[in-house]
Amino acid sequence: MHETYLRRAIEKAKEGRKSKEGGSFGALIVRDNEVICEVHNLVRGTDDLTQHAELRAIQVACNKIGKNQLKDCILYTSCEPCMMCLGACHWAKFKGIYYGASAEDALNFGYEYSNSFYKMDANLRYTEFKMTQLLREEALDVWR
């Protein structure tokens, strides 16, 4: 089940990579096995550096079901969320986060997070945000 939803997030990342407006990151939010929203990054097309896939997904989901309902949801994202997106995830209070590529993978492909992010205790981050990595190789194919 989690793999199915994460594959959809990876597909959104592939769509974003091909789109003039998009970027190669995708996310979706699921509640009770219902997909609430599916999006890809829009940083390139909007010139808005906050339009990461995870933030867009949270914005769309809040508009659709309300901010207090996100605690009943799971976020699936093609890549481990950056510090900005994790801040939004903190407020969303997701039941869990499933991601494909790691922050280190992103760095290896030219997507650099902040130095303080890389110096953080990753295990603490994974525990606090209930993060689980799946389908890493499939996620990396978005950037290859």
Side-chain angles (χ1 to χ4, degrees), residues 4-139:
T4 299
Y5 292 128
L6 187 52
R7 281 190 178 101
R8 286 175 71 167
I10 292 168
E11 285 304 311
K12 291 306 287 186
K14 289 177 182 177
E15 286 177 28
R17 182 189 67 208
K18 294 175 186 173
S19 167
K20 289 182 181 181
E21 302 85 38
S24 54
F25 295 84
L28 63 120
I29 294 178
V30 175
R31 180 177 66 175
D32 297 328
N33 294 319
E34 176 190 350
V35 176
I36 303 301
C37 64
E38 298 180 70
V39 300
H40 59 70
N41 179 305
L42 277 183
V43 170
R44 188 172 54 227
T46 62
D47 289 328
D48 179 348
L49 55 89
T50 68
Q51 290 303 293
H52 290 197
E54 298 90 344
L55 278 182
R56 289 196 63 233
I58 289 169
Q59 292 163 352
V60 171
C62 283
N63 285 330
K64 188 170 182 181
I65 64 172
K67 66 180 180 183
N68 295 325
Q69 301 303 312
L70 297 182
K71 67 183 183 304
D72 299 325
C73 298
I74 297 173
L75 172 68
Y76 295 89
T77 179
S78 62
C79 185
E80 182 178 354
C82 70
M83 192 177 290
M84 176 178 69
C85 293
L86 279 178
C89 290
H90 168 77
W91 297 111
K93 302 186 183 332
F94 290 118
K95 288 185 350 184
I97 299 172
Y98 291 85
Y99 68 96
S102 71
E104 289 76 19
D105 293 328
L107 179 63
N108 291 334
F109 282 89
Y111 301 101
E112 185 174 352
Y113 295 12
S114 71
N115 287 331
S116 58
F117 182 93
Y118 293 113
K119 291 179 182 178
M120 267 184 219
D121 181 333
N123 289 325
L124 180 61
R125 183 171 67 243
Y126 301 146
T127 301
E128 178 178 350
F129 290 95
K130 302 173 216 105
M131 294 172 62
T132 304
Q133 185 177 29
L134 298 172
L135 306 176
R136 177 178 176 256
E137 288 301 317
E138 290 180 41

